[in-house]
Amino acid sequence: MAAYGLYTHIASNKTRSMLLLAGLFVLIYVIVFAVALVLEVWSNSRGTLPYYLNAAFRDLLRAMPLATIGAIGWIIISYFGHQKMIDMITGSASVTRKEQPRLYNLLENLCISRGITMPKLKIMEDDALNAFATGLNPKQYSVTVTTGLLRNLDDDEIEAVLGHELTHIRNGDVQLMVIAGIIAGVVGLFAELLFRTFANGRFRSSGRSSSQSSSSDGKGSGAVPAIIIAVVLLVVAWALSQVIRLALSRSREFMADAGAVELTKNPDAMISALRKIENRGELPGATSAVMEMCVDNPRSGFADIFATHPSVDARVAALIKYAGGHDPGPLTLPGEVAEDETPALPEGEPAKPGPWSDAGQPDGTTTQGPWGKRA
C-alpha cells in the first residue's frame, strides 16, 4: 500500500483500459466470424471445411466495416449515456447540499482536503448498505449512496465509504469498470442479434437452392466440424467477456480501502463501515455490472473463484496489518438479532413451556424431561 504501489496501480489501470478497448473489437470480429460460419453451413450443408472457412473469412471482411461502426457507436452511446442507464436501473437521483447537508458536506470536505474535483452526489432509495462511483471523465463522475447506508452508519463511517469511492475515481478504477461493462454489453448485443438471426427462417429457403451450386463433389464432409468451430468460438468469446471481470484485479478494493484511510486518517472507521456493510449490500434490482462497482459485492462465484471483491475479512486484515486498525468483529445493526441471541417476546406475553420445563400445564400437571423433574 506504499505510494509506489498506488501510482503503478493507476498506470496499470490506464494501460489495461486501452487493452480492453482493443480487445473489444477482437471479440466482435471473432463473433462475426463464428456467425458467418454458421450461416454458411446453413445456406450450404454439403461443403467442405476449407470451403466454409474461406467463405466465412470473406464474409468477415465484408462485415468488418459494419461491425466496427456498430462497436464504435455502442462505445459512444455508452460514453454519454451510461450514467443515465445506471440511474434508470438503480433509481438513483442527484441531491444538493440543501437536500442532504450531512452527506454533501462530508464529501465536499474530502474533496477540498485533496484538491479533488467534486463529483455529483446521488441517493438510491434502498435499505441495502452500499455505495458506488461511476463516470468516465471529471464532468461525469458521481458517487451514489443508498439510504440504508445513511441510516446505519455514523459520520466517520460514511466519510470512510466516500473516501473509498473517491479513491476509485482517483485511481481510474471507475473508468476501467465502465469499459468492462461496455464490452460485456457489446458481446451480449451481438449474441442477441445471433439469436434473432437463428430465430428468423429467411435462410432456410435459400439454403436448399445454394447447396447444389456451391458444392462441387456433393459430399458434405465439413459441415459438422465448421459448426463445432463456430460454437467453440462463440463460447470462448462469451467466456472472455465474463472473465474480463477477473482481469480487473481485486487489488483495486484493497487500494481503495487504503485510499480511504489516507483521506480520513481513520482506519477504524473504514473497518467498522465494512463490518456493517458485510452481507447487507445486495441491490436486488441492480445488474452484475453495477454490483461490481459497489463497496461490497455479496454476489460471489463458486468458492469465491469468480468473486469480484475480496472478502471483508481479507480487507479488514489488510487494514489492521498496514494501517493499524482494530476489528470489532461482525456487527449487529439496530433491529437485527444476533445469531447467538433469542428474539425477545412481546411485552406481556408469557413464555411457552419447553419439553424440559417445569411450568404448570392447564390441567395442573408438570412437564418432565428425559432427566426427570428439575429440583
Side-chain angles (χ1 to χ4, degrees):
M1 294 187 181
Y4 174 79
L6 174 61
Y7 292 119
T8 53
H9 177 80
I10 296 172
S12 175
N13 272 351
K14 293 179 180 178
T15 301
R16 282 186 291 173
S17 295
M18 300 305 298
L19 291 176
L20 285 177
L21 282 176
L24 164 64
F25 291 94
V26 174
L27 281 179
I28 290 175
Y29 299 149
V30 168
I31 293 174
V32 171
F33 181 78
V35 172
L37 269 178
V38 173
L39 295 181
E40 288 295 340
V41 172
W42 200 337
S43 63
N44 174 17
S45 61
R46 305 185 66 183
T48 62
L49 182 59
Y51 162 77
Y52 290 130
L53 292 176
N54 291 331
F57 184 72
R58 290 194 299 270
D59 294 340
L60 171 62
L61 293 180
R62 287 194 293 265
M64 190 173 289
L66 184 60
T68 302
I69 293 173
I72 293 175
W74 181 272
I75 292 174
I76 293 174
I77 292 172
S78 300
Y79 182 87
F80 291 103
H82 75 277
Q83 186 60 58
K84 291 183 179 179
M85 297 178 190
I86 293 173
D87 290 343
M88 289 177 61
I89 293 171
T90 62
S92 304
S94 298
V95 294
T96 62
R97 186 198 304 273
K98 184 177 180 180
E99 295 169 324
Q100 286 286 341
R102 170 196 179 200
L103 184 63
Y104 195 98
N105 289 337
L106 288 173
L107 181 59
E108 185 180 54
N109 290 340
L110 286 174
C111 293
I112 292 174
S113 68
R114 290 295 185 273
I116 305 171
T117 301
M118 175 85 169
K120 296 181 181 69
L121 187 58
K122 296 178 180 287
I123 296 293
M124 177 180 175
E125 294 286 342
D126 199 288
D127 291 334
L129 277 63
N130 229 323
F132 58 89
T134 54
L136 288 171
N137 59 61
K139 292 183 179 180
Q140 294 181 337
Y141 291 146
S142 67
V143 174
T144 301
V145 178
T146 64
T147 52
L149 191 90
L150 291 177
R151 285 194 302 266
N152 290 283
L153 271 62
D154 61 31
D155 284 3
D156 288 343
E157 294 162 344
I158 292 175
E159 186 180 46
V161 171
L162 294 175
H164 177 101
E165 297 306 329
L166 284 176
T167 303
H168 275 316
I169 292 175
R170 294 171 66 194
N171 291 357
D173 298 329
V174 173
Q175 296 96 319
L176 199 61
M177 295 304 298
V178 171
I179 291 172
I182 292 173
I183 293 175
V186 170
V187 173
L189 175 64
F190 273 80
E192 182 179 353
L193 291 177
L194 175 63
F195 173 78
R196 292 182 181 276
T197 300
F198 274 112
N200 193 327
R202 59 185 174 181
F203 295 100
R204 295 178 183 175
S205 59
S206 62
R208 294 189 181 91
S209 60
S210 60
S211 60
Q212 296 180 359
S213 59
S214 299
S215 178
S216 59
D217 56 5
K219 297 179 181 180
S221 60
V224 173
I227 290 294
I228 292 175
I229 291 174
V231 171
V232 169
L233 289 176
L234 289 171
V235 170
V236 168
W238 176 85
L240 286 176
S241 71
Q242 303 303 312
V243 172
I244 279 175
R245 297 198 302 268
L246 300 181
L248 310 178
S249 173
R250 288 187 285 180
S251 66
R252 70 182 187 274
E253 296 303 325
F254 291 115
M255 301 301 294
D257 292 341
V261 174
E262 178 193 4
L263 286 170
T264 64
K265 312 300 183 191
N266 190 348
D268 288 343
M270 188 70 241
I271 292 174
S272 60
L274 288 173
R275 285 304 187 189
K276 287 184 177 181
I277 294 171
E278 186 177 15
N279 298 322
R280 301 180 180 96
E282 175 63 31
L283 303 175
T287 62
S288 296
V290 173
M291 291 303 303
E292 288 159 15
M293 293 188 288
C294 290
V295 173
D296 184 42
N297 181 9
R299 302 177 188 175
S300 59
F302 175 73
D304 287 341
I305 295 175
F306 298 104
T308 61
H309 287 55
S311 67
V312 169
D313 286 338
R315 294 164 68 178
V316 168
L319 288 170
I320 293 173
K321 180 178 181 180
Y322 294 104
H326 300 85
D327 183 10
L331 298 176
T332 302
L333 300 181
E336 294 182 343
V337 178
E339 294 182 0
D340 58 347
E341 292 181 359
T342 302
L345 292 170
E347 186 176 353
E349 181 176 329
K352 296 180 180 179
W356 294 279
S357 171
D358 291 332
Q361 302 301 311
D363 58 0
T365 61
T366 57
T367 303
Q368 293 190 15
W371 315 121
K373 184 177 179 180
R374 295 191 311 183

